[in-house]
Amino acid sequence: MEILIKPIVTEKMTAQSEKLNCFGFVVDRRAKKIEIKKAIESMYNVKVAAVNTMNYQGKKKSRFTKAGAIEGRTASFKKAIVTLVDGDKIDFYSNI
């Protein structure tokens, strides 16, 4: 099971990473906190202090076309906020 899907790089998460040393990731919906912690520690070579998780439901979306109204949903996902030990950092831009 691939646990980490992608990092969340937004203005809000960037501010949190600078201020609180917290980083956000979209993770597999079946992943547990301990599995997320191990995956981050092995991938980024950092020490994780805490992991908080949230499940997001997909939002309902509709649009109007010539053929009529089309309704659907966006994908559901699970988000993990990872707090690192003081002194550790994750640099998402290092391999660009």
Side-chain angles (χ1 to χ4, degrees):
M1 173 171 71
E2 184 66 32
I3 294 172
L4 300 177
I5 296 173
K6 65 180 179 180
I8 300 171
V9 183
T10 60
E11 273 187 53
K12 188 174 182 179
M13 283 309 308
T14 304
Q16 266 193 340
S17 67
E18 292 169 359
K19 213 179 266 187
L20 304 172
N21 208 21
C22 296
F23 297 88
F25 294 90
V26 175
V27 296
D28 190 320
R29 290 183 58 89
R30 298 164 294 176
K32 308 283 188 276
K33 289 183 180 185
I34 295 168
E35 296 170 341
I36 295 167
K37 179 180 178 179
K38 287 178 184 175
I40 297 220
E41 286 179 345
S42 67
M43 182 176 261
Y44 293 104
N45 297 322
V46 293
K47 197 83 172 131
V48 174
V51 177
N52 297 31
T53 58
M54 299 151 239
N55 284 309
Y56 280 90
Q57 282 282 10
K59 293 182 183 178
K60 269 187 147 177
K61 298 281 184 171
S62 63
R63 61 188 168 139
F64 299 97
T65 63
K66 288 181 184 178
I70 299 173
E71 290 189 3
R73 293 186 82 86
T74 59
S76 300
F77 63 96
K78 186 174 193 173
K79 182 163 96 171
I81 305 296
V82 179
T83 306
L84 301 181
V85 175
D86 289 338
D88 283 349
K89 283 277 182 207
I90 296 175
D91 187 16
F92 295 125
Y93 305 108
S94 62
N95 60 356
I96 294 177

